[in-house]
Amino acid sequence: MSAATVQLQPPLLQLREQIRQLYLTTTGQDEANAMVSILEQSYLQADEALSRGIVHVHTANQSLHAMMTLLLNCQEDQQVNCEQIVALLEPIRQELQAGFVQISEVM
């Protein structure tokens, strides 16, 4: 794979490809290969945490969009009080918090 092709890929895909290349170049070198394995495990953990975080943020985004649609289409004679809004926002806040925690673990 050429350097120009690698640069067009997102950073995590670049890292995955570089780890694959390291495995190929360290074949037969037990100590170096063990270090590559540790690097690969770190990559997999980061990828998993980012993926879970993105799922939480996506879920929160969808919920927020649904709530905004509901509130925008609310008839004028219906009132929504602050406690009801807080109750609607709480699951969204929890999803955003969970996403933030997952993504922060990678940082």
Side-chain angles (χ1 to χ4, degrees):
M1 180 173 285
S2 72
T5 304
V6 171
Q7 291 176 350
L8 296 176
Q9 294 179 336
L12 283 179
L13 290 178
Q14 290 178 35
L15 182 58
R16 184 176 66 186
E17 178 60 26
Q18 291 166 350
I19 290 169
R20 189 182 72 74
Q21 291 296 325
L22 276 174
Y23 266 126
L24 293 174
T25 58
T26 61
T27 302
Q29 301 174 28
D30 294 340
E31 191 173 310
N33 204 279
M35 289 172 47
V36 175
S37 292
I38 292 168
L39 179 61
E40 182 180 38
Q41 286 303 313
S42 296
Y43 160 78
L44 291 172
Q45 290 171 351
D47 185 57
E48 181 181 345
L50 286 172
S51 295
R52 285 192 314 249
I54 289 169
V55 167
H56 284 293
V57 170
H58 175 72
T59 300
N61 182 55
Q62 296 292 16
S63 297
L64 186 57
H65 178 72
M67 190 179 85
M68 292 293 293
T69 301
L70 176 70
L71 290 172
L72 288 171
N73 293 325
C74 191
Q75 296 176 3
E76 289 183 26
D77 62 340
Q78 294 180 335
Q79 289 187 353
V80 180
N81 67 37
C82 291
E83 288 178 7
Q84 291 170 322
I85 292 173
V86 168
L88 290 170
L89 286 173
E90 181 56 25
I92 296 169
R93 187 199 64 76
Q94 290 173 6
E95 286 292 334
L96 287 171
Q97 179 66 26
F100 177 75
V101 167
Q102 293 294 320
I103 292 169
S104 293
E105 286 178 1
V106 177
M107 309 308 231

